[in-house]
mmCIF file of all heavy atoms in Angstrom:
data_model
loop_
_atom_site.group_PDB
_atom_site.id
_atom_site.type_symbol
_atom_site.label_atom_id
_atom_site.label_comp_id
_atom_site.label_asym_id
_atom_site.label_seq_id
_atom_site.Cartn_x
_atom_site.Cartn_y
_atom_site.Cartn_z
ATOM 1 N N ASN V 28 -12.064 -2.345 -9.131
ATOM 2 C CA ASN V 28 -13.044 -1.311 -9.470
ATOM 3 C C ASN V 28 -13.616 -0.672 -8.212
ATOM 4 O O ASN V 28 -13.796 0.554 -8.157
ATOM 5 C CB ASN V 28 -14.160 -1.892 -10.334
ATOM 6 C CG ASN V 28 -13.736 -2.122 -11.761
ATOM 7 O OD1 ASN V 28 -12.764 -1.552 -12.236
ATOM 8 N ND2 ASN V 28 -14.453 -2.978 -12.468
ATOM 9 N N ALA V 29 -13.883 -1.478 -7.185
ATOM 10 C CA ALA V 29 -14.404 -0.944 -5.923
ATOM 11 C C ALA V 29 -13.365 -0.042 -5.259
ATOM 12 O O ALA V 29 -13.688 1.055 -4.778
ATOM 13 C CB ALA V 29 -14.794 -2.085 -4.986
ATOM 14 N N PHE V 30 -12.108 -0.481 -5.244
ATOM 15 C CA PHE V 30 -11.038 0.317 -4.644
ATOM 16 C C PHE V 30 -10.874 1.643 -5.376
ATOM 17 O O PHE V 30 -10.833 2.711 -4.758
ATOM 18 C CB PHE V 30 -9.724 -0.458 -4.648
ATOM 19 C CG PHE V 30 -8.537 0.394 -4.313
ATOM 20 C CD1 PHE V 30 -8.328 0.838 -3.021
ATOM 21 C CD2 PHE V 30 -7.636 0.775 -5.299
ATOM 22 C CE1 PHE V 30 -7.241 1.646 -2.714
ATOM 23 C CE2 PHE V 30 -6.545 1.575 -5.003
ATOM 24 C CZ PHE V 30 -6.352 2.015 -3.707
ATOM 25 N N ILE V 31 -10.768 1.586 -6.696
ATOM 26 C CA ILE V 31 -10.579 2.816 -7.482
ATOM 27 C C ILE V 31 -11.784 3.740 -7.300
ATOM 28 O O ILE V 31 -11.628 4.958 -7.162
ATOM 29 C CB ILE V 31 -10.328 2.490 -8.969
ATOM 30 C CG1 ILE V 31 -9.005 1.724 -9.132
ATOM 31 C CG2 ILE V 31 -10.340 3.746 -9.830
ATOM 32 C CD1 ILE V 31 -7.771 2.464 -8.659
ATOM 33 N N GLY V 32 -12.985 3.174 -7.283
ATOM 34 C CA GLY V 32 -14.174 3.991 -7.053
ATOM 35 C C GLY V 32 -14.147 4.678 -5.701
ATOM 36 O O GLY V 32 -14.519 5.853 -5.572
ATOM 37 N N GLU V 33 -13.677 3.959 -4.686
ATOM 38 C CA GLU V 33 -13.601 4.518 -3.334
ATOM 39 C C GLU V 33 -12.606 5.670 -3.254
ATOM 40 O O GLU V 33 -12.927 6.729 -2.715
ATOM 41 C CB GLU V 33 -13.195 3.414 -2.359
ATOM 42 C CG GLU V 33 -13.117 3.846 -0.917
ATOM 43 C CD GLU V 33 -12.675 2.708 -0.005
ATOM 44 O OE1 GLU V 33 -13.064 1.551 -0.244
ATOM 45 O OE2 GLU V 33 -11.926 2.999 0.962
ATOM 46 N N VAL V 34 -11.396 5.480 -3.786
ATOM 47 C CA VAL V 34 -10.408 6.567 -3.705
ATOM 48 C C VAL V 34 -10.776 7.730 -4.618
ATOM 49 O O VAL V 34 -10.480 8.882 -4.306
ATOM 50 C CB VAL V 34 -8.954 6.082 -3.953
ATOM 51 C CG1 VAL V 34 -8.486 5.171 -2.846
ATOM 52 C CG2 VAL V 34 -8.789 5.416 -5.288
ATOM 53 N N GLN V 35 -11.463 7.433 -5.713
ATOM 54 C CA GLN V 35 -11.923 8.509 -6.595
ATOM 55 C C GLN V 35 -13.006 9.333 -5.891
ATOM 56 O O GLN V 35 -12.964 10.564 -5.909
ATOM 57 C CB GLN V 35 -12.449 7.933 -7.897
ATOM 58 C CG GLN V 35 -12.797 8.978 -8.927
ATOM 59 C CD GLN V 35 -13.195 8.356 -10.256
ATOM 60 O OE1 GLN V 35 -13.719 7.253 -10.309
ATOM 61 N NE2 GLN V 35 -12.933 9.068 -11.325
ATOM 62 N N ALA V 36 -13.937 8.652 -5.253
ATOM 63 C CA ALA V 36 -15.022 9.349 -4.551
ATOM 64 C C ALA V 36 -14.495 10.177 -3.386
ATOM 65 O O ALA V 36 -15.045 11.236 -3.068
ATOM 66 C CB ALA V 36 -16.063 8.343 -4.060
ATOM 67 N N SER V 37 -13.415 9.729 -2.756
ATOM 68 C CA SER V 37 -12.859 10.464 -1.622
ATOM 69 C C SER V 37 -12.046 11.682 -2.070
ATOM 70 O O SER V 37 -11.659 12.503 -1.247
ATOM 71 C CB SER V 37 -11.977 9.543 -0.770
ATOM 72 O OG SER V 37 -10.778 9.225 -1.449
ATOM 73 N N GLY V 38 -11.769 11.770 -3.375
ATOM 74 C CA GLY V 38 -11.068 12.935 -3.906
ATOM 75 C C GLY V 38 -9.551 12.861 -3.844
ATOM 76 O O GLY V 38 -8.887 13.849 -4.134
ATOM 77 N N VAL V 39 -8.972 11.692 -3.487
ATOM 78 C CA VAL V 39 -7.516 11.614 -3.375
ATOM 79 C C VAL V 39 -6.849 10.998 -4.601
ATOM 80 O O VAL V 39 -5.641 11.074 -4.743
ATOM 81 C CB VAL V 39 -7.078 10.835 -2.104
ATOM 82 C CG1 VAL V 39 -7.618 11.517 -0.850
ATOM 83 C CG2 VAL V 39 -7.494 9.387 -2.158
ATOM 84 N N LEU V 40 -7.622 10.423 -5.495
ATOM 85 C CA LEU V 40 -7.050 9.763 -6.663
ATOM 86 C C LEU V 40 -6.586 10.787 -7.689
ATOM 87 O O LEU V 40 -7.344 11.641 -8.127
ATOM 88 C CB LEU V 40 -8.077 8.826 -7.309
ATOM 89 C CG LEU V 40 -7.584 8.026 -8.508
ATOM 90 C CD1 LEU V 40 -6.516 7.032 -8.086
ATOM 91 C CD2 LEU V 40 -8.743 7.296 -9.173
#
Side-chain angles (χ1 to χ4, degrees):
N28 284 340
F30 168 73
I31 295 300
E33 182 181 323
V34 293
Q35 187 175 29
S37 71
V39 301
L40 183 66

